[in-house]
Amino acid sequence: MWPRLVANKILRKSVGSNNFVADFPPDADEQLLEAPGLVDERPSFDSKSIFVNQHKTTNLNYKVLVSTWNVGGVVPEDGFDMEDLLETHKTPCDIYVLGFQEVVPLRASNVLGSDNNKVSAKWNSLIRETLNKSVATSDDRDNRINGVSQDFKCIISKQMVGILITVWVRGDLRPYIRDPSVSCVGCGVMGCLGNKGSVSVRFRLHETSFCFVCSHLASGGRDRDGRQRNSDVIEILSRSTFPRGTYLEDLPKKYLTTSTRVIFLGDLNYRISLPEEKTRLLVERKEWKTLLENDQLSMEIMNGQIFRGWQEGNVTFAPTYKYIPNSDLYYGCIAYKKDEKKRAPAWCDRIIWYGNGLKQHEYTRGEVKISDHRPVKAIFTTEVKVLRYSNKIRDLFFSERFEDRIDGYDQIDSKDYSWIST
């Protein structure tokens, strides 16, 4: 117990920092800046009672792409193609959430030293270029809503050692983002270092709260490794906390509430509980059903001990780990080196969710080959509550520009999502 207490005391600042990177203020230079938070553009109030019976609610639908990828410490080259992760031309979305693991190699100097923000800046630069390249190629009239550019903005980007999560939204949604915050939980060396653990981000869009938990859990195929993964999840769910919020009503400090859309993504490292030879044979035959019946994460969700109430879409893609980099061959398909560990294929990289108001339409993997993992991505539609204030309140507190934006959402968000396969 004492090494953990000592390490927590020494490293609390670096592991538990709640600062994050974002584009702010929205009308300033587009360079990413370090900031403790973003300034809320809406007025603040001392009393909630002024709004009683002064508003009505409506619901809007948004598309969200979530992606996770363990990049194996590989730094992307200039001009690296992010389209496989973002699918901007195939399925343009309103919100993009990308989680990465091992953006830096997990050696001692990186785990114990300060975070290498140059690497996360490189990934964010590539994401910005890809998202806004697709916007720039669209018709200019389609690129602006009520005079507001739809260029994508980074609202939160946070790195803890090798874990990086970055969230991007359409520029015209930025004024309706409130209370962005982060929570870091280290579960690695001595139970607290950031080589394993999670970075959680939370924000409110209109009147709906979202939380995305990017995790890298304990590795290994032994029984005790599986128990350690479960322990990591318990630690993450219990130790992740956020500020209460500042606008009208308090947000919960914990994110597992029915009012919050929660998505858990990352290299969760759960394995297939079968002998290696049998696992490889079933993978070769693409017998996913039999493999998933023995998949540790699927069993945990079904048993409800660790992930009670969580959901996962149908897994119809091949295991995402462990590949020989820059090839389509699983590790172990060629002769082993002496004393080299054997690692059977597994669905280590996953996306699961909790709460109401989320509907998954796509769950698949990418085919970028620079790492020993393949990326996984999911597309959701989500229902968001929007308040429409009475004329009295609107005239008192909000400008005509705000009213135009609210009314404009009827046009831009009432989209037909029937094209998405279910």
Side-chain angles (χ1 to χ4, degrees):
M1 178 64 72
W2 70 265
R4 175 172 175 174
L5 295 175
V6 172
N8 263 315
K9 185 173 182 179
I10 295 173
L11 299 163
R12 185 181 302 277
K13 182 176 179 181
S14 60
V15 174
S17 170
N18 60 1
N19 289 347
F20 57 87
V21 171
D23 289 337
F24 103 105
D27 53 354
D29 189 280
E30 294 205 355
Q31 182 179 2
L32 289 174
L33 302 173
E34 183 74 13
L38 300 183
V39 178
D40 189 359
E41 296 182 354
R42 297 191 180 193
S44 60
F45 304 91
D46 295 329
S47 172
K48 302 174 187 178
S49 61
I50 191 172
F51 281 90
V52 175
N53 299 323
Q54 297 293 333
H55 65 267
K56 60 180 181 179
T57 62
T58 187
N59 293 322
L60 299 176
N61 286 323
Y62 293 97
K63 280 190 295 183
V64 183
L65 182 142
V66 180
S67 176
T68 179
W69 187 21
N70 185 324
V71 297
V74 177
V75 178
E77 298 179 353
D78 292 340
F80 179 76
D81 187 4
M82 297 288 292
E83 183 61 29
D84 186 65
L85 271 70
L86 297 171
E87 295 189 356
T88 56
H89 293 95
K90 178 183 176 183
T91 51
C93 293
D94 305 299
I95 302 171
Y96 290 84
V97 181
L98 289 89
F100 299 91
Q101 303 81 42
E102 294 191 48
V103 293
V104 296
L106 299 183
R107 51 177 174 257
S109 59
N110 289 327
V111 174
L112 298 173
S114 58
D115 291 332
N116 182 356
N117 293 323
K118 291 182 179 179
V119 176
S120 57
K122 182 70 174 290
W123 283 109
N124 277 321
S125 177
L126 291 169
I127 294 167
R128 181 190 303 280
E129 181 181 353
T130 303
L131 289 177
N132 290 328
K133 182 187 296 182
S134 85
V135 171
T137 57
S138 64
D139 187 277
D140 186 63
R141 290 172 297 179
D142 297 331
N143 190 26
R144 305 185 73 83
I145 299 296
N146 292 318
V148 181
S149 172
Q150 291 192 72
D151 285 357
F152 282 87
K153 304 292 184 181
C154 178
I155 62 167
I156 305 177
S157 177
K158 178 64 178 178
Q159 179 184 351
M160 180 185 72
V161 189
I163 301 173
L164 168 65
I165 184 169
T166 180
V167 183
W168 297 72
V169 304
R170 286 197 333 248
D172 56 297
L173 295 183
R174 170 60 189 87
Y176 310 108
I177 300 290
R178 302 194 305 279
D179 299 315
S181 57
V182 302
S183 180
C184 298
V185 174
C187 298
V189 178
M190 293 185 287
C192 69
L193 296 190
N195 56 308
K196 293 293 191 292
S198 70
V199 179
S200 303
V201 301
R202 189 185 67 179
F203 60 90
R204 189 197 298 248
L205 173 58
H206 292 293
E207 306 308 316
T208 300
S209 176
F210 290 85
C211 182
F212 298 90
V213 186
C214 182
S215 300
H216 193 183
L217 305 183
S219 61
R222 297 165 296 185
D223 289 343
R224 68 181 185 183
D225 297 323
R227 291 192 295 270
Q228 183 60 52
R229 283 188 281 275
N230 289 344
S231 176
D232 288 350
V233 173
I234 292 171
E235 288 287 298
I236 290 168
L237 297 181
S238 63
R239 290 166 52 193
S240 298
T241 59
F242 300 92
R244 285 289 190 182
T246 59
Y247 182 74
L248 293 184
E249 61 182 57
D250 289 341
L251 288 167
K253 293 186 68 175
K254 300 289 186 178
Y255 49 71
L256 288 187
T257 66
T258 56
S259 61
T260 300
R261 319 304 195 227
V262 186
I263 296 180
F264 200 105
L265 60 136
D267 179 2
L268 307 189
N269 257 321
Y270 284 98
R271 307 304 169 94
I272 297 170
S273 296
L274 290 173
E276 180 186 355
E277 293 75 12
K278 185 172 183 179
T279 298
R280 291 186 181 278
L281 179 61
L282 292 171
V283 169
E284 185 177 348
R285 294 176 177 176
K286 298 183 178 181
E287 295 186 17
W288 310 143
K289 184 177 182 295
T290 302
L291 288 165
L292 286 166
E293 288 173 352
N294 295 276
D295 172 74
Q296 294 174 354
L297 178 59
S298 299
M299 290 189 289
E300 291 293 346
I301 293 175
M302 185 178 300
N303 294 336
Q305 295 181 5
I306 305 300
F307 289 107
R308 182 183 300 275
W310 290 82
Q311 302 177 66
E312 184 180 27
N314 292 328
V315 177
T316 59
F317 48 86
T320 56
Y321 174 85
K322 175 180 173 76
Y323 281 92
I324 299 172
N326 299 308
S327 79
D328 290 317
L329 297 175
Y330 284 107
Y331 188 89
C333 292
I334 57 177
Y336 290 103
K337 297 178 182 178
K338 186 178 180 180
D339 298 328
E340 195 169 37
K341 292 182 180 179
K342 296 183 179 182
R343 294 182 177 88
W347 285 284
C348 289
D349 311 277
R350 311 287 274 271
I351 300 171
I352 62 178
W353 74 93
Y354 181 93
N356 301 319
L358 286 167
K359 182 178 180 181
Q360 190 180 77
H361 300 276
E362 180 180 318
Y363 191 31
T364 185
R365 71 174 219 174
E367 296 302 331
V368 189
K369 301 176 182 179
I370 63 173
S371 168
D372 56 353
H373 290 251
R374 292 292 196 264
V376 170
K377 50 197 171 184
I379 292 178
F380 298 87
T381 52
T382 181
E383 196 174 73
V384 173
K385 183 172 72 173
V386 178
L387 292 184
R388 295 183 182 274
Y389 299 98
S390 69
N391 291 334
K392 179 180 178 181
I393 296 297
R394 184 185 289 118
D395 293 343
L396 182 60
F397 293 112
F398 297 105
S399 67
E400 290 182 1
R401 182 183 180 189
F402 178 88
E403 182 178 353
D404 289 340
R405 287 189 183 179
I406 285 290
D407 292 337
Y409 274 95
D410 289 335
Q411 176 183 354
I412 65 174
D413 291 294
S414 298
K415 300 175 181 177
D416 179 12
Y417 293 105
S418 60
W419 55 272
I420 305 179
S421 60
T422 57

